[in-house]
Amino acid sequence: MKIKLIILLFGISLFGYSQKKISKKQVKIKPRTEFVADLLSKMTLEEKIGQLNLPTSGDITTGAASSSNVAKNIEDGKVGGLFNIKSVQKIKEVQKIAVEKSRLKIPLLFGMDVIHGYETTFPIPLGLSATWDMKLIERSAQIAAQEASADGINWTFSPMVDISRDPRWGRVSEGSGEDPFLGSEIAKAMVNGYQQNDLSKNNTILSCVKHFALYGAPEAGRDYNTVDMSRIRMYNDYFPPYKAAIDAGVGSVMASFNEIDGIPATGNKWLMTDVLRKQWGFKGFVVTDFTGIPEMIQHGMGDLQTVSALALNAGIEMDMVGEGFLTTLKKSLEEGKVTIEQIDNAARLILNAKYDLGLFQDPYKYCDEKRAKTEIFTKSHRDEARNIAAQSLVLLKNNNQLLPLKKSGTIALIGPLADAKENMAGTWSVATNMEKSISLLAGIQEVAGKDTKVLYGKGSNLDYDAAFEEKATMFGKTLHRDNRTSEELLAEALKIANQSDVIVAALGESAEMSGESSSRTNLEIPQAQKDLLQALLKTGKPVVLVLFTGRPLVLVQENETVPAILNTWFAGSEAGSAIADVLFGNENPSGKLTATFPRSVGQVPIYYNQKNTGRPLGNKEGKFEKFRSNYIDERNEPLYPFGFGLSYTTFAYSNLKISSDKMNFNENVKVTVDVTNTGNFEGKEVVQLYIRDLVGSVTRPLKELKGFQKIALNKGEKQTVTFEISVEELKFYNSELQFIAEPGRFDVFVGTNSSTDNKVSFELIK
């Protein structure tokens, strides 16, 4: 017995010794399965449960980590990871506590919401999706991983892949829009960008797909609210992007706040075990969202011990902030409410992730201060961010080719978002140095050139209501509210406008009007800005609306009255320069909408791939017909459809062909179309392919995106674009949740957006 004890203590001592030395030289360790099994065998129950605990420490001040309230828990082996600490110095200091003061020297995970860039910030995810360019999207995630890893971070809570068809929901800004096919492609690109299929590299980080599942479909568009839908809709419309991330090898999954089939996702065994692990084969670990376990108490699922056991039994491995696992699992184990095998498995999965990240070989792998000084917010990264931002902008209107602007004359730049660098990065930009972001004013002054005079006036505050503006500019994203009267602000703006050749009105939402807990019932531009815009139009000067938004807005009045509208989302730290590049024609806009813009909030939820009713009405002319599926007071169609986006040039589609009008299950058909640049600028076009299954065993959507290609064409150039359709593009989940394709007739539409009626047809036969 004494000999065994000596061997065990020697093994622990050797493990600890290796952890102290590896910061200077990496050591060779056993294969993962064997290594983790050995480590688990040495762990006490409390240490195993500790691995399941993910607290936030706040941003510990350098030099104070050892005295922080989380330090004692780390020493005692009661912490598996931390999040929201930023900088190599602080993270190294905390990691040192784990690997030098805790009994088994197990390193910590360090996570952060690196959502759309680190210090070099890219467009909000909804804006990134509007590029329709998977290489650019993957590159943005790769740069984010490089910068975050250089600053000590090894885990990001991204990508968010929730499908959303309701722009009232503020977190539509964090996702990729309404379409499961496009959303799946983006999910794969983001996971690949963060992880690069090699977590052993020091410039990759662990990705976490969220929020599993259905979080983007809350009733009334209100954040955290109830979600209730059929399983056939889950599988066909909402699950695909999550599964795409799993198939791409994502290392972790975050549970959503909402309920599914009456059980919160955090405690839903069908979701976390049957679907995620048994059906999809996920091998990583699942973390809750912030306080997701104790929030089940408010759902009415029981006390903290009960809901903590519910979560572990469901298949949750890590408890973010709630400390339900830490404080109740030992008691639940003693009472037989959970098993030691479940605790061991959860700890094993988290240790596996640490092993894959190379933390057992070098716990300070991400703490190289040289990298922190040379790889973050670099000139090359900012240049790439500027380019990607320019590709995300969507031209919604351009009467009489008002854009691009000339680099001469006098421009009046007016609006509360014209000189608002703190808002350029948008929501969930926690690592952004807002002081270094480029405002629209600075960008125009840089790009317009010495022959252009730029006059600036604020024109109005964000909103007439100062209290509303305060809510909409949280987290340091102030708009520096002007205390002059509305009349004084407007008078100044009109004076400037009357001296100009053209007016650029920078209006819309502030950064925190969208994002988490930023649901809206009114989807219009705030009234103070609408009044300003109408006053500017009355000057008779040409007006360009530069629209800032994190969601689809209702823009009927603006569309009817403003000559040119450029939707810029929140384009990141280089936003001002990128927007100016597009305004002055250095870049030709090529973004396309990935979420439908409604004509009225009463149309919401609205999306292109809807199903027919038994009494359909296209209503494209705004006609009303009794006993048809329409509104008394509004048209059916949206203001701007999914896939919509203009260019400074024009594109003509012709010669749409299909290789055969029949296709067997083991065959493919090819669809070709000629696309010609018929305008006066070189430009990029997103060629989109949609399919309609005309007859099915269950009702099928009117159209479904099944392919797209972004092409570049010089003036006058023609290119033949080819799509290949296999049986995989025709599959769907039927009423038995079988993923199948059914014989029958299919229409294939190819065009510039989802409203195209340019089609060919074929029949799938056995």
Side-chain angles (χ1 to χ4, degrees):
M1 186 69 181
K2 288 182 178 179
I3 293 173
K4 289 182 179 178
L5 182 59
I6 291 169
I7 291 172
L8 176 61
L9 290 172
F10 176 75
I12 294 170
S13 174
L14 181 62
F15 178 69
Y17 175 79
S18 70
Q19 293 302 295
K20 291 180 182 179
K21 294 296 182 183
I22 51 183
S23 62
K24 295 181 180 178
K25 185 177 181 180
Q26 288 192 3
V27 297
K28 200 168 183 180
I29 61 176
K30 296 175 182 178
R32 188 181 76 178
T33 300
E34 187 178 351
F35 177 89
V36 171
D38 286 349
L39 181 53
L40 271 172
S41 71
K42 299 179 177 78
M43 296 171 71
T44 66
L45 174 62
E46 288 78 6
E47 287 167 334
K48 291 173 183 177
I49 293 173
Q51 287 300 301
L52 319 187
N53 183 33
L54 180 68
T56 178
S57 62
D59 197 8
I60 293 173
T61 303
T62 305
S66 60
S67 61
S68 67
N69 57 7
V70 79
K72 181 65 167 59
N73 275 347
I74 296 174
E75 286 186 38
D76 292 342
K78 294 181 179 179
V79 176
L82 289 173
F83 69 103
N84 283 350
I85 299 181
K86 184 177 184 289
S87 89
V88 164
Q89 295 85 357
K90 295 174 185 177
I91 287 172
K92 189 173 184 178
E93 197 176 337
V94 175
Q95 189 73 289
K96 187 175 182 181
I97 299 171
V99 300
E100 296 188 13
K101 293 187 178 182
S102 69
R103 187 178 76 90
L104 291 179
K105 324 300 182 191
I106 299 174
L108 301 173
L109 292 171
F110 289 93
M112 179 173 272
D113 285 295
V114 183
I115 305 300
H116 51 107
Y118 191 63
E119 287 196 12
T120 302
T121 311
F122 298 93
I124 58 172
L126 187 61
L128 274 175
S129 71
T131 67
W132 293 63
D133 190 320
M134 298 308 107
K135 289 182 179 178
L136 288 184
I137 291 172
E138 179 175 336
R139 179 59 181 154
S140 75
Q142 188 178 11
I143 291 172
Q146 182 179 351
E147 292 196 359
S149 64
D151 217 12
I153 306 298
N154 51 41
W155 183 23
T156 177
F157 306 118
S158 175
M160 194 203 93
V161 301
D162 302 311
I163 295 296
S164 179
R165 294 161 171 182
D166 189 338
R168 293 174 300 178
W169 187 56
R171 298 193 83 166
V172 68
S173 60
E174 290 179 59
S176 299
E178 69 191 45
D179 184 70
F181 181 85
L182 179 60
S184 296
E185 295 299 303
I186 293 172
K188 290 187 287 187
M190 293 293 287
V191 171
N192 290 337
Y194 291 130
Q195 298 188 166
Q196 290 294 294
N197 203 30
D198 189 355
L199 290 174
S200 68
K201 294 180 179 178
N202 69 350
N203 64 349
T204 62
I205 58 179
L206 190 73
S207 178
C208 182
V209 67
K210 64 184 188 184
H211 306 83
F212 192 61
L214 319 181
Y215 185 45
E219 291 182 356
R222 199 174 74 241
D223 212 352
Y224 320 120
N225 203 13
T226 300
V227 173
D228 191 12
M229 69 172 66
S230 67
R231 291 198 176 181
I232 195 169
R233 172 167 271 192
M234 293 182 202
Y235 277 84
N236 280 316
D237 297 352
Y238 285 82
F239 276 177
Y242 306 115
K243 186 176 186 300
I246 303 304
D247 292 343
V250 73
S252 60
V253 169
M254 182 182 288
S256 58
F257 285 122
N258 54 279
E259 65 176 65
I260 295 167
D261 288 344
I263 301 174
T266 306
N268 196 306
K269 188 173 183 179
W270 172 78
L271 184 70
M272 297 300 171
T273 298
D274 294 349
V275 175
L276 186 60
R277 298 203 181 275
K278 293 180 180 179
Q279 294 180 23
W280 295 355
F282 177 60
K283 304 298 183 186
F285 70 92
V286 181
V287 62
T288 73
D289 206 337
F290 199 102
T291 65
I293 288 176
E295 287 185 22
M296 286 196 287
I297 298 170
Q298 292 295 329
H299 279 278
M301 304 303 291
D303 61 15
L304 184 60
Q305 182 185 352
T306 301
V307 296
S308 299
L310 181 66
L312 187 69
N313 286 319
I316 299 290
E317 280 82 41
M318 198 172 227
D319 175 6
M320 182 188 286
V321 179
E323 295 197 345
F325 283 176
L326 188 68
T327 60
T328 72
L329 282 190
K330 183 178 180 180
K331 184 179 179 184
S332 290
L333 179 64
E334 292 168 350
E335 296 176 354
K337 295 176 180 177
V338 300
T339 67
I340 190 62
E341 289 79 15
Q342 290 173 319
I343 294 172
D344 283 353
N345 182 63
R348 180 184 298 108
L349 292 174
I350 292 162
L351 295 172
N352 283 349
K354 294 180 179 183
Y355 185 100
D356 292 343
L357 286 164
L359 293 175
F360 289 113
Q361 288 184 301
D362 183 0
Y364 303 112
K365 170 185 170 184
Y366 298 92
C367 296
D368 182 345
E369 293 187 28
K370 292 180 182 177
R371 287 190 63 208
K373 293 176 181 177
T374 59
E375 296 183 25
I376 299 174
F377 204 64
T378 64
K379 174 65 165 56
S380 63
H381 287 175
R382 293 174 62 193
D383 288 345
E384 289 192 71
R386 180 173 178 169
N387 172 57
I388 292 172
Q391 309 302 310
S392 74
L393 309 189
V394 182
L395 184 62
L396 297 176
K397 187 178 179 184
N398 193 24
N399 277 8
N400 302 317
Q401 289 289 298
L402 176 56
L403 292 175
L405 298 175
K406 297 176 181 177
K407 293 182 180 180
S408 61
T410 301
I411 295 173
L413 176 60
I414 296 170
L417 290 158
D419 189 20
K421 60 184 176 181
E422 296 94 340
N423 282 258
M424 295 299 97
T427 189
W428 278 118
S429 48
V430 297
T432 301
N433 186 332
M434 291 182 287
E435 282 300 309
K436 294 181 180 178
S437 293
I438 308 300
S439 70
L440 180 56
L441 175 59
I444 287 179
Q445 288 172 334
E446 171 206 350
V447 174
K450 64 181 188 313
D451 294 331
T452 307
K453 186 176 182 180
V454 181
L455 305 176
Y456 162 71
K458 190 165 188 177
S460 77
N461 285 305
L462 179 76
D463 193 87
Y464 288 125
D465 185 351
F468 176 84
E469 182 167 322
E470 187 174 352
K471 287 188 292 185
T473 54
M474 298 173 68
F475 309 121
K477 292 169 182 170
T478 177
L479 285 170
H480 305 285
R481 188 172 181 85
D482 197 311
N483 291 321
R484 287 178 289 173
T485 66
S486 300
E487 291 76 15
E488 288 172 323
L489 288 169
L490 180 59
E492 178 188 64
L494 292 177
K495 181 179 179 181
I496 291 168
N498 284 319
Q499 298 173 47
S500 70
D501 299 306
V502 62
I503 301 168
V504 174
L507 310 175
E509 293 189 311
S510 59
E512 295 303 326
M513 280 177 72
S514 58
E516 186 169 359
S517 191
S518 293
S519 299
R520 293 183 64 191
T521 60
N522 180 352
L523 295 179
E524 298 189 10
I525 294 171
Q527 191 61 48
Q529 298 179 64
K530 290 174 74 73
D531 292 344
L532 169 63
L533 180 59
Q534 292 306 307
L536 295 175
L537 288 166
K538 288 177 181 177
T539 65
K541 305 282 185 174
V543 176
V544 177
L545 171 58
V546 173
L547 180 69
F548 292 89
T549 180
R551 52 158 54 89
L553 293 178
V554 171
L555 301 168
V556 173
Q557 182 183 33
E558 291 75 16
N559 185 64
E560 290 174 351
T561 58
V562 182
I565 305 174
L566 181 66
N567 187 30
T568 65
W569 315 108
F570 293 98
S573 50
E574 306 306 304
S577 299
I579 296 167
D581 285 339
V582 171
L583 287 174
F584 290 97
N586 294 357
E587 296 280 351
N588 191 344
S590 61
K592 300 274 190 174
L593 299 179
T594 58
T596 300
F597 275 49
R599 298 179 59 85
S600 164
V601 72
Q603 293 177 308
V604 170
I606 186 169
Y607 48 96
Y608 86 91
N609 48 351
Q610 62 186 303
K611 295 182 178 183
N612 231 345
T613 73
R615 299 183 176 189
L617 179 72
N619 198 16
K620 289 186 178 180
E621 296 78 32
K623 295 177 181 176
F624 169 76
E625 187 175 344
K626 195 68 173 174
F627 307 117
R628 290 289 173 179
S629 183
N630 53 201
Y631 301 99
I632 292 176
D633 59 348
E634 185 56 89
R635 299 164 69 156
N636 278 8
E637 76 274 16
L639 183 62
Y640 305 121
F642 175 87
F644 178 82
L646 302 175
S647 169
Y648 293 154
T649 193
T650 52
F651 299 98
Y653 286 71
S654 62
N655 203 26
L656 178 63
K657 293 181 180 179
I658 190 164
S659 60
S660 175
D661 62 359
K662 287 183 170 51
M663 183 181 108
N664 290 315
F665 274 66
N666 60 351
E667 294 178 334
N668 295 348
V669 295
K670 289 184 178 180
V671 176
T672 58
V673 66
D674 292 338
V675 182
T676 306
N677 183 340
T678 54
N680 296 317
F681 299 84
E682 61 181 59
K684 296 176 182 177
E685 168 72 339
V686 180
V687 184
Q688 302 162 42
L689 179 142
Y690 299 85
I691 291 178
R692 181 179 183 186
D693 186 349
L694 292 171
V695 178
S697 59
V698 296
T699 56
R700 306 290 293 123
L702 292 171
K703 284 178 183 173
E704 294 178 284
L705 180 72
K706 291 296 180 180
F708 59 89
Q709 294 182 38
K710 192 166 189 177
I711 61 172
L713 295 174
N714 292 321
K715 177 183 175 181
E717 182 182 1
K718 179 172 73 173
Q719 183 175 328
T720 299
V721 177
T722 301
F723 295 96
E724 197 160 325
I725 301 172
S726 71
V727 72
E728 291 302 311
E729 281 74 52
L730 309 180
K731 287 183 176 180
F732 63 95
Y733 287 92
N734 65 12
S735 58
E736 303 299 320
L737 298 183
Q738 300 165 323
F739 192 52
I740 61 167
E742 295 176 342
R745 198 104 188 125
F746 293 83
D747 285 341
V748 181
F749 303 83
V750 180
T752 187
N753 61 62
S754 61
S755 67
T756 181
D757 55 9
N758 191 24
K759 71 178 182 179
V760 291
S761 302
F762 71 96
E763 185 177 1
L764 178 65
I765 58 176
K766 285 188 176 179

